[in-house]
Amino acid sequence: ENERAGSRLMWLLVPGNATAWCPLNCSCLRETGLVQCHFLTLQGIPREIPHWVQNLSITGRNLTTLQASSFINNGTQLSNLTTLLLTNNNVQTIRPLAFHQLPHLVTLDLSFNDLHSIAKDAFTGVAHLQVLRLNQAFREAEGTRLVDDQWLKNAKSLKALEVSGNGLQAFPAGLLKLDRLQVLNIRNNSIKLLDEATVSWLKHRNVWVYLSPNPLACDCKSREMIFWIRNTTQVLDSQSLRCFSPESLNGTHVLSVAPDALKCLNENLETASYVFFGIVLALIGLIFLMVLYLNRRGIKRWLNNFREACRDQMEGYHYRYEQDTDPRRSNATALPPDTP
Ligand SMILES: *[C@@H]1O[C@H](CO)[C@@H](O)[C@H](O)[C@H]1NC(C)=O
Ligand SMILES: *[C@@H]1O[C@H](CO)[C@@H](O)[C@H](O)[C@H]1NC(C)=O
Ligand SMILES: *[C@@H]1O[C@H](CO)[C@@H](O)[C@H](O)[C@H]1NC(C)=O
Ligand SMILES: *[C@@H]1O[C@H](CO)[C@@H](O)[C@H](O)[C@H]1NC(C)=O
């Protein structure tokens, strides 16, 4: 209500010129198609944004939820809008079809929000969306899950994606489905490794990547990644990339790590444990042989005893067999006896 009254006030201040219309606390530049609404104390998205707007910036509000009706403006679509900045608005939830009233949207910046839920079809209806910025956009510890979520599949036209500062624990595998991606910013996350599949996809698609800083592991598992970083122009900030682990390489520039230094602690441990196991086996064998040697008399005696015992047994068996084959005792003459 307040806002509406304010709007009317603005209207009165610029009488007789409908093109000078501008919502309260916003600035409007018709020539450049720019409308900026900053740090308003009121909730929600201003209604009655001039229909000619191409570049809309709304920041510092408490929007909380974006939904299908959020951008219905005075009953119509904002069909000229190509760039929408919604940074710093405490956006938490994006509901289905939130942007479908903006059919020509190309660039969307949702950085510095508190997202924890994005509907699967949040980006349905914005077929031209090419640039999406989600820097520090997610609620703590939700980034890894959200960047990999279903909604990404409906943002197929993306050419540039920024997801820096979101605490991502790993490279989001879902990104590999973005067929048109050209630029990816994954700076300032907790990514240790780009695995072979990721590296080969980035190579194949020729995607430009911003990667630094991330706590990269420079070990045997990251050989593929590090050889690629050293040998490509695609990683635009490769100069400032540093190894985080292992401790011996902490702080070393990735571009100057020697290939021989890319080892795994486990790899060494494994070799060491095999050697140790071998030595133990050899010792046991040696002791066994010594025991045999020292006891050779006893063993000989034992073998003799055993042989005699066997012979006794065989004789007993032979005797019983003869008894069994007696035709008066059994018909099954061909079968050997099973139990005594
Ligand atoms: C809102 O729509 C009404 C009716 O279509 C129109 O008369 C009015 O000028 C519009 N307001 C703005 C700010 O475009
Ligand atoms: C933001 O909006 C939500 C719900 O619309 C409300 O619960 C919350 O208190 C608001 N926060 C601020 C800082 O105004
Ligand atoms: C990096 O991201 C964290 C949040 O994950 C943020 O607090 C910090 O300011 C960011 N640093 C830079 C240099 O952007
Ligand atoms: C480095 O790149 C060049 C040219 O792009 C290529 O011919 C070469 O095989 C690459 N070397 C490695 C180790 O990937």
Side-chain angles (χ1 to χ4, degrees), residues 21 48-49 51 74:
W21 166 266
E48 307 192 6
I49 291 167
H51 62 90
N74 198 17

Side-chain angles (χ1 to χ4, degrees), residues 118-120 122-123 132 134 146-147 149-155:
I118 303 179
K120 188 178 163 209
F123 291 93
L132 179 57
L134 289 164
L146 274 171
V147 174
D149 216 0
Q150 303 273 335
W151 62 268
L152 201 60
K153 293 195 187 110
N154 291 314

Side-chain angles (χ1 to χ4, degrees), residues 8 32 49 59 61 64 67 132 203 218 221 237 270:
R8 232 170 264 135
T32 52
I49 291 167
T59 61
R61 295 199 118 187
T64 326
Q67 55 204 1
L132 179 57
K203 264 192 213 171
C218 295
K221 294 191 205 90
D237 52 6
E270 240 166 59

Side-chain angles (χ1 to χ4, degrees), residues 41 43 61-65 89-90 92:
T41 46
Q43 297 253 330
R61 295 199 118 187
N62 184 17
L63 300 184
T64 326
T65 304
N89 284 309
N90 189 31
Q92 300 177 8

